[in-house]
Amino acid sequence: MKLLLTLVLWINFVGAQDLASIRKLYPTVTKSEANAKEFTAKLTNVSNDHDKILIAYKGASILLDSKFEKKLQAKMDRFKEGAKLLESTIKSEPDNIEIRMIRLSIQENVPGITGYKKNIKDDKKFLTEHYNEQSNSLKEYLKSFILQSKSFSEKEKEFVK
């Protein structure tokens, strides 16, 4: 029994991606198809039993990966799958600032025709209002996102400087 428990825990530990490595890779995913594919591959084994932040990154990876689908229907199906997964994590943890940042980063970059841009103002406001409550390491991560974000004006970015 101990062996089985140890094996299950080891598989979970090895299979689950380290959040720090995912955070490091995330800002590079839009730079190339190879980066997006690598990001998606790292999150393939993330399931609904994992941390909600990892599930949100998996949703984002599916959304980003949809861009590289060749057929329109496959592109749309993949996009909907990613959006549904990301929205379900936000529904389960609406006060998680990192999940809100992930959604904002996606919504500010998707084409308007997708209709997936309705939460930009709310997420931006949430980040602004709850930024100072975060740990220093998470603040640094959020700061790097905010400083390059299209959603924040130069004046609005002052709160992180």
Side-chain angles (χ1 to χ4, degrees):
M1 185 65 176
K2 279 185 175 181
L3 180 60
L4 180 61
L5 181 61
T6 304
L7 183 60
V8 167
L9 290 174
W10 183 79
I11 290 170
N12 254 351
F13 178 74
V14 171
Q17 284 300 313
D18 174 37
L19 184 57
S21 68
I22 296 299
R23 284 177 177 164
K24 186 177 180 182
L25 188 56
Y26 188 62
T28 69
V29 297
T30 59
K31 294 188 182 354
S32 73
E33 183 176 358
N35 289 1
K37 296 289 185 190
E38 177 186 355
F39 187 69
T40 301
K42 284 186 177 287
L43 292 160
T44 299
N45 293 328
V46 171
S47 69
N48 289 336
D49 299 333
H50 286 96
D51 181 275
K52 295 296 181 195
I53 295 172
L54 284 174
I55 297 169
Y57 279 115
K58 181 176 182 169
S61 76
I62 295 168
L63 280 156
L64 292 163
D65 195 45
S66 71
K67 177 180 177 180
F68 303 107
E69 290 289 340
K70 303 293 184 233
K71 295 183 179 176
L72 181 60
Q73 189 61 50
K75 187 181 289 262
M76 289 173 27
D77 290 346
R78 194 90 167 120
F79 187 90
K80 288 176 186 176
E81 176 189 355
K84 183 178 177 183
L85 186 56
L86 182 53
E87 289 301 319
S88 73
T89 62
I90 290 172
K91 188 174 184 180
S92 68
E93 290 193 17
D95 295 331
N96 187 309
I97 197 168
E98 188 165 357
I99 295 173
R100 296 286 200 103
M101 182 222 65
I102 295 166
R103 180 171 66 183
L104 177 58
S105 71
I106 294 293
Q107 288 191 356
E108 71 180 13
N109 288 295
V110 296
I113 196 167
T114 64
Y116 193 56
K117 288 187 164 279
K118 64 184 179 210
N119 306 103
I120 291 175
K121 287 181 183 176
D122 289 339
D123 290 343
K124 183 177 141 181
K125 181 180 179 190
F126 190 88
L127 265 68
T128 303
E129 291 175 352
H130 297 281
Y131 175 80
N132 286 325
E133 302 163 12
Q134 308 310 309
S135 68
N136 286 340
S137 62
L138 186 52
K139 276 184 184 177
E140 283 301 311
Y141 183 63
L142 294 169
K143 178 181 177 179
S144 66
F145 165 73
I146 291 165
L147 290 176
Q148 63 77 43
S149 172
K150 300 174 191 175
S151 297
F152 292 88
S153 69
E154 288 305 313
K155 184 174 181 173
E156 290 172 324
K157 292 176 183 180
E158 292 296 318
F159 78 97
V160 297
K161 293 182 179 178

